[in-house]
Structure formats: structure tokens, C-alpha cells
């Protein structure tokens, strides 16, 4: 069974600085998708960034980028120029074409941004 | 805007009293999912519908049921809520079972008293 591990329950960053959230996963599949979701307190979970495993190029969305290391099964999220609005719980998630499209989540990393 | 809407946002129910949570979508997505998220934990999949086909996770308690009367609506029924069922319930949709990410609703926070 696939598993996703986020080893940092909490992280803190100064406004305007850069922070990296870690995620590792375990799978025997070769084709899959990885995601980072953001969940602000009492608010909707939204997609931050997505990576297809067959793509070697790391995904980037504005201030958010990933470092995808397929062989190491690592998928970290870098947030540049951190803003107060980035404060939230961040979930790393795995999805394959099997298992009914099920999203498997890590335990989450609570990110706080200091002004 | 196309979206996933969950009602109500907050629900308080009595121990053992049946409760229904609703989810609607305007995305015309084929798949609808229900996740349970307890405090400070990762969301856990309860079940999903692919069109009219219902798929239950092996470890979902029998106390949880679901209905999807049409493409747009999906309901989560908890037949006899216990204190341990207090959680945030997230509805999500995806176009199909392959690849893409989900669109989530805002969730319903269920309190059992």
C-alpha cells in the first residue's frame, strides 16, 4: 500500500523569506501524481501544485515550486517570498490511476508566517 | 463559478440521532468523494461514487452510508452518530478516476452531543 510521510508537524518562516516543506512517499507504481494542498483554518482545501511522475521537470506555480526526486521518492515544496496568507496546514498527497483515484494524504505540516 | 458546495457548514447532532450531510457540484464531474478529517489529522477516504457506481473503503464503518441521486448531488448519511464521529467531513470531486487533482468543498464540521 502506498504511504505518504510528512516529517515536519510544524514549520515557521519569516515573512518574505523562503521555506521548504518535506514529503516522502512509498509506492511500487511507476505512474502516479503528487500534489500539495493548502488548508487554511476552517477554510476550503485548495490545490497548490501538482506533479506528474513521468515528468522530469519540477512543477512551478508562481512563488511555489517543488523538488521532485523520483528515485528517492521525495517531493518537497518550496515557498518563496512567504506571505502572511501562506499560513495554513499543508498536505502532501499521492494519487495513482489505480485504487479509484484515491488521494492518499500525509499527516500535514502546519506553517506559520511571522510578520 | 463552478464549484463544490457543502451544506451545512456546521452541524450539531445528538448522540445516536441520524444525520445527513449534503454536497453539490456544478463542475459536472463524474467522481464524488467523501473524506473524514479528525482534528489535526489527514483526511481519510470513506467512499466514492464514479457516476452511479458506489465504492466503499474496506475500513469504513457500516454506520456511514452514501447516496448519489444524480450527477450534481451526493449525500453522506450517518445512521447512529457516536462521539467518535465528530469531525470535518469533506466532499471532493474529480473529472474522472485518472490523474488530475480534486476540487474540494468547504467541509461540514460535525459535532455530536
Amino acid at each position: 500500500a502506498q504511504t505518504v510521510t510528512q516529517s515536519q508537524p510544524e514549520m515557521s518562516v519569516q515573512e518574505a523569506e523562503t521555506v521548504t516543506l518535506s514529503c516522502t512517499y512509498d509506492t511500487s507504481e511507476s505512474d502516479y501524481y503528487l500534489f500539495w494542498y493548502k488548508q487554511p483554518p476552517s477554510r476550503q482545501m485548495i490545490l497548490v501544485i501538482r506533479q506528474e511522475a513521468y515528468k522530469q521537470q519540477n512543477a512551478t506555480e508562481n512563488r511555489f515550486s517543488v523538488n521532485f526526486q523520483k528515485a528517492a521518492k521525495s517531493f518537497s515544496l518550496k515557498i518563496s517570498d512567504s506571505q502572511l496568507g501562506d499560513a495554513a496546514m499543508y498536505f502532501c498527497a499521492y494519487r495513482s490511476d489505480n485504487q479509484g483515484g484515491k488521494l492518499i494524504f500525509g499527516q500535514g505540516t502546519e506553517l506559520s508566517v511571522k510578520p | 463559478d463552478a464549484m463544490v458546495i457543502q451544506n451545512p457548514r456546521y452541524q450539531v447532532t445528538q448522540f445516536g440521532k441520524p444525520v445527513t450531510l449534503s454536497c453539490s457540484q456544478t463542475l459536472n464531474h463524474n467522481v464524488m468523494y467523501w473524506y473524514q478529517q479528525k482534528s489535526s489529522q489527514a483526511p481519510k477516504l470513506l467512499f466514492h461514487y464514479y457516476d452511479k457506481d458506489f465504492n466503499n473503503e474496506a475500513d469504513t464503518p457500516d454506520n456511514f452510508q452514501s447516496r448519489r441521486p444524480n450527477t450534481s448531488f451526493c449525500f453522506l448519511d450517518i445512521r447512529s452518530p457516536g462521539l467518535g464521529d465528530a469531525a470535518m467531513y469533506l466532499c471532493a470531486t474529480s473529472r474522472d478516476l485518472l490523474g488530475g487533482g480534486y476540487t474540494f468543498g468547504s467541509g461540514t464540521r460535525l459535532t455530536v452531543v
Side-chain angles (χ1 to χ4, degrees):
Chain A
Q2 293 80 13
T3 58
V4 178
T5 302
Q6 293 177 248
S7 58
Q8 306 152 315
E10 298 175 349
M11 290 284 285
S12 180
V13 64
Q14 204 72 32
E15 193 176 9
E17 295 191 346
T18 296
V19 65
T20 298
L21 309 184
S22 301
C23 173
T24 58
Y25 59 95
D26 189 24
T27 185
S28 58
E29 297 176 320
S30 57
D31 292 325
Y32 50 87
Y33 306 82
L34 296 165
F35 307 87
W36 280 98
Y37 280 90
K38 170 185 177 181
Q39 188 178 39
S42 300
R43 292 183 62 187
Q44 188 174 7
M45 191 172 303
I46 58 174
L47 179 65
V48 175
I49 200 165
R50 159 188 166 170
Q51 176 81 43
E52 291 89 342
Y54 66 85
K55 290 187 177 178
Q56 291 187 335
Q57 186 173 5
N58 289 323
T60 299
E61 289 288 341
N62 300 314
R63 297 183 295 108
F64 299 87
S65 61
V66 297
N67 183 2
F68 174 48
Q69 302 289 330
K70 190 172 183 179
K73 297 179 183 174
S74 170
F75 183 62
S76 61
L77 174 69
K78 185 171 83 171
I79 306 174
S80 304
D81 185 26
S82 296
Q83 301 175 0
L84 296 178
D86 295 333
M89 180 71 88
Y90 286 82
F91 289 99
C92 178
Y94 170 102
R95 188 184 190 194
S96 74
D97 290 346
N98 302 315
Q99 301 185 60
K102 177 179 178 178
L103 260 184
I104 299 169
F105 289 90
Q107 292 301 103
T109 296
E110 181 86 51
L111 177 68
S112 59
V113 181
K114 298 179 180 179
Chain B
D1 287 340
M3 56 177 58
V4 180
I5 301 168
Q6 290 188 245
N7 285 307
R9 189 72 188 273
Y10 300 92
Q11 176 74 57
V12 179
T13 191
Q14 291 181 338
F15 182 95
K17 183 175 181 180
V19 64
T20 295
L21 310 182
S22 74
C23 177
S24 64
Q25 55 130 342
T26 60
L27 298 160
N28 204 33
H29 281 174
N30 290 314
V31 195
M32 296 187 77
Y33 300 86
W34 280 104
Y35 279 79
Q36 179 192 62
Q37 186 181 21
K38 295 188 176 180
S39 182
S40 302
Q41 295 185 20
K44 178 181 177 297
L45 182 64
L46 294 173
F47 27 59
H48 76 271
Y49 272 95
Y50 179 74
D51 196 9
K52 296 180 180 179
D53 292 333
F54 177 71
N55 296 270
N56 202 30
E57 290 297 295
D59 57 354
T60 298
D62 292 340
N63 198 25
F64 291 85
Q65 305 287 324
S66 186
R67 297 170 284 135
R68 190 178 185 187
N70 54 51
T71 301
S72 301
F73 285 87
C74 194
F75 300 98
L76 169 62
D77 301 309
I78 308 176
R79 294 193 295 189
S80 181
L83 297 179
D85 296 327
M88 175 75 83
Y89 290 88
L90 301 173
C91 175
T93 71
S94 66
R95 184 174 305 280
D96 54 38
L97 298 176
L98 305 178
Y102 291 2
T103 302
F104 281 89
S106 298
T108 294
R109 183 166 296 283
L110 178 68
T111 301
V112 182
V113 298

